[in-house]
Amino acid sequence: MELNLWDKQLSAHEVKSIVVLYFAMDAATMKPQHRPFSIKLWPPSQNTRQMLVTRITGNLTTKSIFTQKYGTLSKEEAEENAKKIEDVAFVTANQHYEMEPDGDGGSAVQLYAKECSKLILEVLKRGPAKKEEREVLVSEEPAASLNKVFDISKGPRSFIEASEAENILGPLKEPGNSYTKICFSNRSFGPEAARVAQPILISMKDQLKEVDLSDFIAGRPEEEALEVMNIFSSALEGSILRSLDLSNNALGEKGVRAFGALLQSQSCLEELYLMNDGISEEAARAVCELIPSTEKLRILHFHNNMTGDPGALAISEVLKRSPLLEDFRCSSTRVGTEGGIALAEALETCTHLKKLDLRDNMFGVEGGVALCKALSKHAGLTEIYLSYLNLEDEGAVAIANSLKESAPLLEVLDMAGNDITAEAAPDLSACIAVKQNLCKLNLSENELKDEGAIQISKALEGHIQLNEVDMNTNSLGRVGARVLAQVVVQKPKFKLLNIDANCISDEGIDEVKKIFKNSPDLLGPLDDNCPEGGDDDEEEEYGEHDGDQHDLESKLSNLEVNRED
């Protein structure tokens, strides 16, 4: 297909649509992947990128309303601009994709197309450049969107002293450098090295948009670490950052306050990462105090801290000031029922939420019931992780019923390790049945048994997007495992079924493997399955011997999941 974007005087929107269509067609004609129908639109092949450069070159040299008004580019200049356009657009889209690696790349392609069309229009409107201006291939504004990264995190962890800092940070001292993101992670700065970095950071803080200082004081005594933090904080004070990562630094309250100057000067933060920082109750209060504005905050990650209930109360105040929040992670933070209820109530104000991760806390039933009220207001939610919250049946049912009426685009549902039994299966199934975009379902480490597994299986029958189901450690027997396998193996995009650590008989294992005989890689390992895991009464109940192996399946064969439009 000849892609000529301009001979019909197309609009920028039409250009974007055509580029997206081109890449979709290209992805569909690529060499087939290992599993049929599993198409990744990103990244494009090198050949595809080169073909796009060729097409952009052709469009920059084709007669159009732009060339009539602004002049025609020579082939040489068009080629130079085409390469730069494609490269800038690719880097921008690829960085977007790396933040969402579990998708099919569709949003990255959209961004790629948008950047390409925008830059093509700018070059055409600018017209041919004079020879002495040839070095400026694309205007300064799109060049800034390249978001050039200076990253010293690769390689082994090591201490950095003053002399090495002078050498490593040399590129940042070059006049006119275009770095907008710095990553100093995985290298431990001492005070002398920090003083080398200080004037460099001061000189370029007006251009910085993203700063990653995660794990940059490892192994330093507290006094040295706090001094380093104070130096970096004062150097970056007043910068207008979009993203700040201070994770893996064992901050505590002293460390949070050492970054006080930097934190207090931020009014445009969109992303803040404070993971594995030893954030206690006092430190959480300091975070709440030192961040004056979170009105633009979209991502807040607060994983693996020792916040507890009092700290959760402080973080809930941050949530109340973050109306645009889209991604909140507060997993493994020792939050109990009181803190869980506070967070749940605060999340009611975050109506733009798309991803919620509260795993590995102790919300309990009351916390789960409180959370269901917040979930009812999150129409845009696509991923929810609620494993190991001690929800039990009552909390799980409340959440399932709330999600059933909200979050129509839900793609990931994780409720592992919550002591959920087959009693809750009807409500869970009713919720799952209406989530047609569901890709991943994790109900592992519960007590759903065969009865619950069969109800869940029937709810999944129409889900063509489904690619992963985890039902390990659920006391499943032969019948439940077989029914679940029969349902998921038919899914065009399916990648993995995990039913390990159950009580499936040897005959049942053979049946499941036979179901997956044409795609054995879709079935997870069964090394921890225990055929003798249940007692005789349980085996009889689930039909595992005495010729009654189909009893349960027969009882549930006409089961109908309650689906409400």
Side-chain angles (χ1 to χ4, degrees):
M1 182 181 93
E2 182 65 29
L3 184 66
N4 193 323
L5 304 183
W6 303 107
D7 55 5
K8 294 187 179 181
Q9 302 179 13
L10 301 177
S11 67
H13 176 74
E14 291 169 320
V15 170
K16 175 183 174 182
S17 299
I18 291 174
V19 174
V20 170
L21 176 62
Y22 166 70
F23 277 103
M25 292 178 64
D26 175 76
T29 56
M30 286 181 184
K31 182 179 179 181
Q33 300 296 312
H34 184 62
R35 301 183 181 95
F37 306 108
S38 180
I39 297 175
K40 281 280 189 180
L41 297 179
W42 194 266
S45 66
Q46 192 60 42
N47 183 55
T48 298
R49 295 181 63 188
Q50 184 55 50
M51 289 175 66
L52 184 59
V53 170
T54 301
R55 284 168 167 75
I56 293 174
T57 301
N59 290 310
L60 291 176
T61 56
T62 299
K63 290 184 179 180
S64 66
I65 55 173
F66 295 100
T67 58
Q68 292 174 8
K69 184 174 182 180
Y70 300 107
T72 304
L73 276 68
S74 67
K75 184 177 180 180
E76 179 184 4
E77 186 179 359
E79 287 179 348
E80 291 176 345
N81 277 279
K83 291 177 182 177
K84 186 68 174 180
I85 287 169
E86 191 282 329
D87 186 60
V88 170
F90 175 81
V91 171
T92 301
N94 197 53
Q95 290 176 346
H96 171 81
Y97 177 71
E98 287 176 353
M99 294 177 64
E100 299 178 342
D102 292 335
D104 62 2
S107 60
V109 170
Q110 291 281 345
L111 183 57
Y112 191 23
K114 179 181 178 180
E115 290 297 307
C116 278
S117 62
K118 181 179 72 173
L119 300 183
I120 289 172
L121 281 171
E122 290 186 358
V123 171
L124 286 170
K125 289 180 179 179
R126 188 196 65 197
K130 297 178 182 179
K131 187 174 181 179
E132 60 271 19
E133 298 173 343
R134 183 69 60 81
E135 291 184 5
V136 184
L137 301 178
V138 186
S139 67
E140 290 184 5
E141 182 179 350
S145 70
L146 179 59
N147 196 23
K148 194 172 180 182
V149 179
F150 180 80
D151 187 351
I152 64 172
S153 66
K154 303 300 185 288
R157 292 163 60 97
S158 63
F159 279 34
I160 293 183
E161 304 304 335
S163 58
E164 186 179 3
E166 289 279 2
N167 182 47
I168 291 177
L169 303 182
L172 296 179
K173 294 188 288 186
E174 295 178 3
N177 77 75
S178 58
Y179 294 112
T180 59
K181 176 179 179 178
I182 56 171
C183 178
F184 289 174
S185 180
N186 200 41
R187 310 296 291 273
S188 181
F189 281 76
E192 296 302 320
R195 291 189 187 96
V196 170
Q198 185 175 26
I200 298 174
L201 295 177
I202 290 174
S203 69
M204 62 183 301
K205 67 180 178 182
D206 289 341
Q207 72 191 57
L208 289 175
K209 300 301 179 185
E210 299 182 51
V211 171
D212 184 347
L213 298 179
S214 60
D215 191 23
F216 85 125
I217 51 168
R220 301 288 179 178
E222 180 182 290
E223 185 178 351
E224 284 188 15
L226 290 173
E227 183 178 358
V228 169
M229 287 186 248
N230 275 297
I231 291 172
F232 273 84
S233 177
S234 63
L236 293 168
E237 181 182 3
S239 56
I240 304 176
L241 301 180
R242 185 188 72 82
S243 176
L244 177 62
D245 191 344
L246 300 177
S247 303
N248 303 309
N249 283 314
L251 297 178
E253 182 186 8
K254 292 181 180 179
V256 170
R257 294 197 179 279
F259 276 112
L262 172 58
L263 292 172
Q264 287 181 312
S265 69
Q266 299 306 303
S267 60
C268 296
L269 268 184
E270 296 179 23
E271 302 176 12
L272 178 60
Y273 303 90
L274 294 169
M275 298 183 288
N276 193 29
D277 273 333
I279 304 291
S280 60
E281 170 190 344
E282 294 78 13
R285 288 174 178 161
V287 169
C288 182
E289 170 194 333
L290 294 172
I291 305 179
S293 173
T294 55
E295 292 181 356
K296 296 183 179 181
L297 199 65
R298 294 185 303 102
I299 299 176
L300 176 59
H301 282 194
F302 206 70
H303 167 70
N304 197 29
N305 285 297
M306 50 186 186
T307 312
D309 283 347
L313 297 178
I315 297 303
S316 68
E317 294 302 315
V318 177
L319 293 180
K320 292 175 184 177
R321 304 198 301 255
S322 309
L324 300 182
L325 196 66
E326 297 178 3
D327 182 348
F328 178 54
R329 185 180 185 188
C330 191
S331 50
S332 302
T333 49
R334 306 182 187 181
V335 176
T337 298
E338 182 185 1
I341 292 173
L343 290 174
E345 292 174 348
L347 284 169
E348 292 185 41
T349 64
C350 304
T351 56
H352 291 81
L353 205 64
K354 296 180 181 179
K355 183 176 179 180
L356 177 62
D357 186 348
L358 299 172
R359 284 176 283 191
D360 190 23
N361 286 297
M362 292 298 291
F363 280 28
V365 173
E366 292 181 48
V369 172
L371 185 60
C372 74
K373 297 179 182 178
L375 296 179
S376 67
K377 301 182 179 181
H378 296 154
L381 200 64
T382 59
E383 299 180 37
I384 183 165
Y385 302 88
L386 304 176
S387 55
Y388 308 105
L389 292 180
N390 199 28
L391 297 175
E392 302 181 13
D393 282 350
E394 185 179 346
V397 166
I399 287 171
N401 289 333
S402 179
L403 286 174
K404 181 183 174 183
E405 305 299 332
S406 61
L409 303 178
L410 192 68
E411 297 176 4
V412 178
L413 176 59
D414 182 347
M415 297 180 70
N418 276 302
D419 296 323
I420 304 172
T421 74
E423 295 294 322
D427 296 279
L428 277 175
S429 299
C431 171
I432 292 168
V434 298
K435 303 305 176 188
Q436 292 297 307
N437 290 307
L438 196 65
C439 297
K440 296 182 180 180
L441 175 64
N442 184 2
L443 294 173
S444 63
E445 299 189 47
N446 285 300
E447 287 292 328
L448 289 166
K449 300 187 176 180
D450 278 13
E451 183 179 350
I454 292 177
Q455 294 184 66
I456 298 297
S457 299
K458 288 186 176 292
L460 292 171
E461 285 181 349
H463 292 54
I464 61 174
Q465 302 297 326
L466 192 68
N467 61 54
E468 186 174 326
V469 172
D470 193 340
M471 289 278 283
N472 85 78
T473 321
N474 262 285
S475 299
L476 300 189
R478 176 180 180 181
V479 176
R482 183 173 67 245
V483 173
L484 186 58
Q486 288 170 336
V487 169
V488 301
V489 76
Q490 303 175 43
K491 307 297 181 185
K493 297 184 179 181
F494 201 73
K495 297 178 181 179
L496 182 63
L497 172 63
N498 183 5
I499 51 173
D500 201 8
N502 282 300
C503 308
I504 309 167
S505 66
D506 291 335
E507 293 83 357
I509 293 293
D510 291 339
E511 288 175 351
V512 169
K513 288 183 177 179
K514 185 176 181 180
I515 292 171
F516 283 93
K517 65 179 180 180
N518 294 326
S519 51
D521 53 330
L522 303 186
L523 180 63
L526 295 164
D527 301 337
D528 293 329
N529 181 66
C530 182
E532 308 299 328
D535 59 32
D536 290 344
D537 291 339
E538 288 177 324
E539 289 182 0
E540 287 183 10
E541 180 183 354
Y542 299 121
E544 286 298 309
H545 58 230
D546 291 338
D548 296 327
Q549 66 267 25
H550 298 298
D551 281 358
L552 180 62
E553 189 173 7
S554 297
K555 292 177 183 177
L556 298 174
S557 60
N558 296 319
L559 176 71
E560 292 184 4
V561 175
N562 181 21
R563 301 173 187 248
E564 295 182 7
D565 295 330

